[in-house]
Amino acid sequence: QVQLVESGGGLVQAGGSLRLSCAASGRTFRSFAMGWVLQAPVKERDVVATISWSGTFTYYTDSVKDRFTISRDNAKNTVYLQLNSLKPEDTAVYYCAANSHSYTRLYYSDYTYWGQGTQVTVSS
């Protein structure tokens, strides 16, 4: 099992940047593919970035490609999401999540372990 705790959210103006972190406990962290999942008000959770267990492979949805960067440091049991060129429509609760299968899993229901979420609010 793995426990996940996100941090780094906040209020930022459009065009700004934030760096989210997700600290994992448990020695099995490096066996999980990781994802960042957004949930905007009255919308379903949306997987926007994923990374393989080794960090070699990543995936981004079109809406965040070239603006967000996912990375991980298995020595620190941490996964990151760098958010650049933020837009008001990026406003959401950001969750990190783990699945034991593959970084190609793109549905939130594929993810077994979840953090509590961190709020990102982008003002116009």
Side-chain angles (χ1 to χ4, degrees), residues 1 3 19 41-42 44 52 61 76 79 92 96 100 116 118 121:
Q1 291 193 0
Q3 290 78 43
R19 190 191 196 202
V42 302
E44 283 194 345
S52 61
T61 59
K76 295 182 178 180
V79 62
C96 72
S100 59
Q116 83 288 352
T118 186
T121 303

Side-chain angles (χ1 to χ4, degrees), residues 22 29-30 51 71-80:
C22 174
F29 171 73
R30 64 186 63 207
I51 190 165
S71 61
R72 68 190 294 165
D73 185 338
N74 286 342
K76 295 182 178 180
N77 278 13
T78 304
V79 62
Y80 305 96

Side-chain angles (χ1 to χ4, degrees), residues 12-84:
V12 62
Q13 288 188 333
S17 298
L18 284 173
R19 190 191 196 202
L20 307 183
S21 299
C22 174
S25 62
R27 293 177 290 177
T28 59
F29 171 73
R30 64 186 63 207
S31 67
F32 288 92
M34 300 297 296
W36 283 95
V37 184
L38 274 61
Q39 186 164 26
V42 302
K43 290 187 177 180
E44 283 194 345
R45 295 187 180 188
D46 185 21
V47 178
V48 297
T50 67
I51 190 165
S52 61
W53 67 269
S54 65
T56 302
F57 302 104
T58 58
Y59 164 83
Y60 301 94
T61 59
D62 288 343
S63 62
V64 307
K65 196 175 295 182
D66 299 326
R67 298 190 300 121
F68 293 4
T69 303
I70 188 171
S71 61
R72 68 190 294 165
D73 185 338
N74 286 342
K76 295 182 178 180
N77 278 13
T78 304
V79 62
Y80 305 96
L81 188 67
Q82 177 68 41
L83 291 67
N84 296 329

